[in-house]
């Protein structure tokens, strides 16, 4: 299946989401076709990412100077201390607003990278390469960035639309089944708030999607991205209709907090439980 390009157009920025297999190998052409260039880039990489995948991304990104920051992407590390560490790297190596941060990891890495990109000199370029199903269908789209503090989750942040999102399906093959189910929870949420057609497609093909079979996984990701894209374009700053994307999340955050954000309950699992809770109540 050929790569799918989903165009997002908000008041602050327009950008493409590109979905497909092995597309990290096409990064030079993708950057060129989208007129994205920069002299320096900081790749913020989730420390759990396989080194061979990072090697490809590092090689393919066109930049005179490349720097790597290995980030232990956990909810506890999603804080201002790590944001300040990232900012100091950017200052130390004299980054400018025309340079770039690249996030290579899941939703936590993307949230931290995007927030750092939004506040460094009031904004520099930001490319998101989400590596989990959850981040490919949710957090990489729409520009929400932020970190946690003692008072709660994602209470410090900004809206920072990326310049480009690259969702490579092959990155999902190394994920445990539990992570795939987490992402599927958000796909299911998007289908519930959209229409019966999307929901019926998932109901018919959920086993193939969970097994990452083509073209079902690509279509489910693309459809999910389009649903969120359509809502974000109507309400970029979550003043009205975008709040529908939080379906199940009030309960979900409560469940996560009650377990101190431990690995006993992942975010996607919490969202599924949250949706069930909403239906029951």
């Amino acid at each position: 299946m050929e790569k799918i390009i989903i165009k997002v157009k908000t008041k602050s920025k327009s950008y493409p989401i590109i979905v497909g297999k092995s597309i990290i190998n096409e990064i030079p052409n993708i950057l060129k076709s989208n007129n994205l260039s920069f002299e320096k880039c900081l790749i913020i990489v989730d420390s759990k990412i396989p080194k061979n995948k990072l090697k490809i991304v590092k090689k393919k990104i066109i930049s005179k100077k490349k720097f790597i920051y290995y980030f232990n992407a956990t909810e506890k590390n999603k804080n201002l201390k790590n944001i300040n560490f990232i900012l100091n790297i950017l200052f130390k190596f004299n980054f400018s607003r025309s340079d770039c941060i690249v996030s290579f990891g899941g939703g936590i890495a993307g949230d931290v990278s995007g927030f750092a990109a939004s506040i460094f000199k009031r904004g520099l370029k930001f490319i998101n390469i989400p590596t989990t199903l959850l981040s490919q269908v949710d957090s990489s789209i729409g520009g929400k960035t932020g970190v946690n503090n003692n008072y709660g989750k994602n209470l410090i942040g900004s809206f920072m639309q990326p310049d480009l999102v690259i969702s490579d399906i092959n990155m999902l093959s190394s994920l445990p089944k539990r992570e795939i189910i987490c992402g599927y929870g958000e796909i299911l949420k998007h289908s519930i708030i959209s229409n019966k057609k999307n929901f019926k497609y998932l109901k018919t093909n959920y086993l193939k999607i969970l097994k990452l079979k083509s073209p079902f996984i690509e279509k489910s990701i693309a459809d999910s991205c389009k649903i969120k894209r359509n809502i974000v374009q109507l309400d970029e700053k979550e003043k009205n209709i975008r709040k529908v994307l939080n379906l199940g999340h009030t309960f979900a955050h409560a469940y996560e907090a009650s377990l101190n954000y431990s690995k006993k309950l992942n975010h996607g699992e919490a969202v599924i439980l949250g949706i069930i809770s909403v239906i029951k109540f």
Side-chain angles (χ1 to χ4, degrees):
M1 187 174 184
E2 293 186 3
K3 63 178 179 283
I4 303 168
I5 301 176
I6 301 155
K7 295 183 179 179
V8 183
K9 187 176 182 180
T10 68
K11 290 182 179 180
S12 65
K13 191 182 292 182
S14 298
Y15 60 94
I17 301 166
I18 303 174
V19 181
K21 285 191 171 182
S22 300
I23 54 176
I24 59 172
N25 293 300
E26 301 177 32
I27 286 176
N29 290 333
I30 291 172
L31 293 178
K32 186 176 180 180
S33 63
N34 287 282
N35 297 315
L36 271 173
S37 62
F38 35 85
E39 288 191 1
K40 301 171 187 173
C41 76
L42 173 63
I43 304 173
I44 300 176
V45 55
D46 187 328
S47 55
K48 296 185 290 293
I49 295 291
K51 290 185 178 180
N52 62 320
K53 299 294 185 183
L54 174 60
K55 187 177 180 180
I56 295 172
V57 168
K58 185 179 178 182
K59 180 180 178 181
K60 295 294 182 178
I61 289 177
I62 303 169
S63 178
K64 289 182 179 179
K65 294 182 179 180
K66 303 171 190 176
F67 306 90
I68 307 291
Y69 173 52
Y70 291 95
F71 177 58
N72 183 14
T74 65
E75 289 290 349
K76 290 184 178 180
N77 287 333
K78 187 178 169 182
N79 54 42
L80 286 174
K81 181 179 178 180
N82 275 302
I83 290 294
N84 194 51
F85 191 91
I86 292 167
L87 294 176
N88 283 335
I89 295 173
L90 300 174
F91 285 120
K92 180 179 179 181
F93 295 105
N94 197 28
F95 272 60
S96 72
R97 293 182 67 185
S98 61
D99 292 320
C100 186
I101 284 181
V102 178
S103 173
F104 190 40
I108 294 175
D111 282 357
V112 167
S113 301
F115 184 48
S118 74
I119 62 175
F120 179 77
K121 297 184 178 179
R122 297 183 179 85
L124 73 170
K125 295 174 184 177
F126 174 47
I127 295 172
N128 202 336
I129 308 177
T131 60
T132 64
L133 182 57
L134 180 60
S135 59
Q136 288 184 0
V137 301
D138 187 38
S139 61
S140 64
I141 312 155
K144 267 191 175 182
T145 74
V147 295
N148 309 327
N149 67 357
N150 292 335
Y151 290 92
K153 185 173 178 179
N154 296 329
L155 294 180
I156 303 170
S158 60
F159 287 92
M160 168 70 173
Q161 301 294 341
D163 293 274
L164 172 66
V165 179
I166 302 173
S167 292
D168 193 325
I169 304 301
N170 285 0
M171 293 302 303
L172 306 178
S173 60
S174 61
L175 296 176
K177 186 177 180 180
R178 187 180 176 189
E179 287 291 335
I180 301 300
I181 292 173
C182 285
Y184 185 82
E186 288 286 353
I187 293 174
L188 178 63
K189 180 203 74 178
H190 286 152
S191 75
I192 291 172
I193 64 176
S194 59
N195 56 61
K196 289 183 180 179
K197 183 179 178 181
N198 292 98
F199 186 82
K200 286 180 178 179
Y201 182 81
L202 296 184
K203 186 177 180 180
T204 303
N205 300 294
Y206 74 95
L207 288 176
K208 294 172 183 175
I209 295 168
L210 291 173
K211 291 180 180 178
L212 306 179
K213 298 290 185 182
S214 290
F216 307 99
I217 183 62
E218 291 95 331
K219 177 174 169 50
S220 64
I221 290 173
D223 286 348
S224 194
C225 290
K226 289 174 184 176
I227 293 165
K228 184 167 183 179
R229 180 273 311 270
N230 293 342
I231 293 171
V232 168
Q233 288 182 160
L234 291 172
D235 180 19
E236 183 179 5
K237 298 293 178 68
E238 200 178 63
K239 294 181 179 180
N240 194 352
I241 193 173
R242 183 169 175 170
K243 293 177 183 179
V244 74
L245 294 171
N246 295 327
L247 175 65
H249 281 61
T250 300
F251 281 105
H253 289 163
Y255 293 143
E256 289 178 284
S258 69
L259 294 171
N260 198 27
Y261 300 102
S262 71
K263 292 183 179 179
K264 292 179 181 179
L265 185 68
N266 290 335
H267 178 67
E269 295 168 334
V271 169
I272 294 172
L273 289 174
I275 292 171
I276 295 170
S277 299
V278 169
I279 294 170
K280 285 188 174 182
F281 280 90

